[in-house]
Amino acid sequence: MTDIRTFLKNYDGPKVRLMEVCGTHTASISKNGIVCMLSPNIQLISGPGCPVCVTVTAYIDRLTELCMQPNTIVLTFGDLMRVPGTERNLNDAKAAGGSVRMVYSPLDALRYAEENPQLTCVFAAVGFETTAAVYASLLQEALQKEIKNFRLLTSLKVMPPVLDWVCANQGGIDGFIAPGHVSVITGWKIYEPLAKKYNIPFVVSGFEGGQLLETIYALVKLRGMPRVMNLYPSVVTENGNEEALRAMADCFEPCPAAWRGMGVIPDSGLRLHGEYAMFDAGSDGLLQDHSFNTNCRCAKVLTGAVSPTQCPLFGRVCTPQTPQGACMVSQEGSCYNYYISGRGSK
């Protein structure tokens, strides 16, 4: 590790731009002060791997509508309650009389529905392959127990199409720190077509500081090579969790999905199908996105086009206490992590 630290700190080769895709990687990079350990010729940029951040306002607006309907309650994780919609967030809707309840896990939501059959219980199901697998398990249980008042409002997305979009439209990226959590489900092989198409390396990483340094070292060494390397072998395999993938295929089918800052990307989403379609709370067509504050740069931050500190609102109007965009709300958001760690100001 000492040799790796020395190499990364003193690297004087061609400038390298690496994208950390996963929001948890963004948080760990900030927490461990990784950027301070790197040469100025190695730049880390954040990508579209925070599920809350890439969720468009039409989805938030739909949740705020649902919570105002009679005998209906919206169940959600806490961070989603503060994400701005077109005119208000879920906290505002709750203050106006809407029924909203924070839960700590999707299992809590299903249990609440089972205990309250008089209510239609809508769970705000956002996420990537990792959480889609959890939702699939949840739906199978709901079907088995015949829990008929449980619904999902889905905004589920998959990684390969959006990484393809970033490579094709954003460019200037020399390698990807591939998302560890997603790769547990999908396996590392899914990155091979993109590596070959764009002649760019992908390295699957764990979340500890040392693991991230090893990943960055590998990416710098692999610059310009169409390689996929798995440096998280304790939980990530070539083909992923096949049981989880079968459950996802049972419950979901591919669909177009809207991403903040990138628009609608074909086959980048998942929607309920077959016998599980009856659990849908009206997820189709939620494609529109509006900035709560027109000066917000979340859309560009999510594609690595600008750094959070380049947003005119960052640290002034927009703080974790007064977020103007989703990237400052979520604890996996780029702006939130830059703000609390001082990343980008050194």
Side-chain angles (χ1 to χ4, degrees), residues 180-223:
H181 292 145
V182 165
S183 302
V184 171
I185 302 299
T186 64
W188 57 261
K189 199 175 179 65
I190 63 161
Y191 306 111
E192 281 190 340
L194 292 172
K196 293 175 181 174
K197 182 177 181 180
Y198 295 103
N199 205 37
I200 196 170
F202 287 72
V203 176
V204 181
S205 179
F207 298 91
E208 299 297 328
Q211 292 173 316
L212 282 163
L213 287 174
E214 290 174 349
T215 297
I216 295 166
Y217 174 81
L219 284 168
V220 173
K221 288 290 189 180
L222 292 172
R223 181 176 179 272

Side-chain angles (χ1 to χ4, degrees), residues 55-281:
T55 299
V56 296
T57 51
Y59 181 83
I60 303 298
D61 294 342
R62 178 66 177 148
L63 287 174
T64 60
E65 293 168 3
L66 286 168
C67 77
M68 302 300 289
Q69 292 182 0
N71 302 317
T72 300
I73 185 168
V74 168
L75 305 160
T76 179
F77 296 132
D79 51 359
L80 206 59
M81 294 178 69
R82 301 177 65 219
V83 175
T86 302
E87 295 182 354
R88 61 183 180 178
N89 60 27
L90 276 173
N91 273 331
D92 297 330
K94 184 176 182 180
S99 294
V100 183
R101 183 183 180 93
M102 189 180 77
V103 295
Y104 293 98
S105 90
L107 290 174
D108 291 342
L110 185 62
R111 192 176 303 118
Y112 187 87
E114 194 171 13
E115 294 170 352
N116 295 274
Q118 77 282 8
L119 295 174
T120 298
C121 300
V122 180
F123 182 66
V126 302
F128 300 114
E129 290 94 331
T130 319
T131 41
V134 176
Y135 299 144
S137 173
L138 202 68
L139 290 167
Q140 289 174 334
E141 183 177 345
L143 189 66
Q144 182 183 16
K145 291 184 174 179
E146 298 184 347
I147 302 175
K148 298 180 178 178
N149 63 323
F150 184 62
R151 300 286 184 276
L152 296 184
L153 190 71
T154 61
S155 180
L156 297 172
K157 298 176 170 68
V158 294
M159 270 293 154
V162 74
L163 295 181
D164 194 357
W165 189 98
V166 169
C167 289
N169 294 277
Q170 188 58 43
I173 300 168
D174 298 301
F176 286 91
I177 302 175
H181 292 145
V182 165
S183 302
V184 171
I185 302 299
T186 64
W188 57 261
K189 199 175 179 65
I190 63 161
Y191 306 111
E192 281 190 340
L194 292 172
K196 293 175 181 174
K197 182 177 181 180
Y198 295 103
N199 205 37
I200 196 170
F202 287 72
V203 176
V204 181
S205 179
F207 298 91
E208 299 297 328
Q211 292 173 316
L212 282 163
L213 287 174
E214 290 174 349
T215 297
I216 295 166
Y217 174 81
L219 284 168
V220 173
K221 288 290 189 180
L222 292 172
R223 181 176 179 272
M225 301 182 193
R227 291 275 305 278
V228 179
M229 181 179 288
N230 177 21
L231 292 183
Y232 201 22
S234 59
V235 290
V236 174
T237 63
E238 181 175 356
N239 295 312
N241 185 325
E242 295 182 3
E243 183 177 351
L245 292 170
R246 279 195 297 272
M248 287 168 59
D250 191 31
C251 297
F252 302 108
E253 65 180 3
C255 67
W259 298 68
R260 175 162 294 135
M262 290 157 274
V264 178
I265 301 176
D267 293 331
S268 67
L270 295 173
R271 65 183 169 203
L272 292 160
H273 76 141
E275 60 187 334
Y276 296 97
M278 67 179 181
F279 291 105
D280 185 59

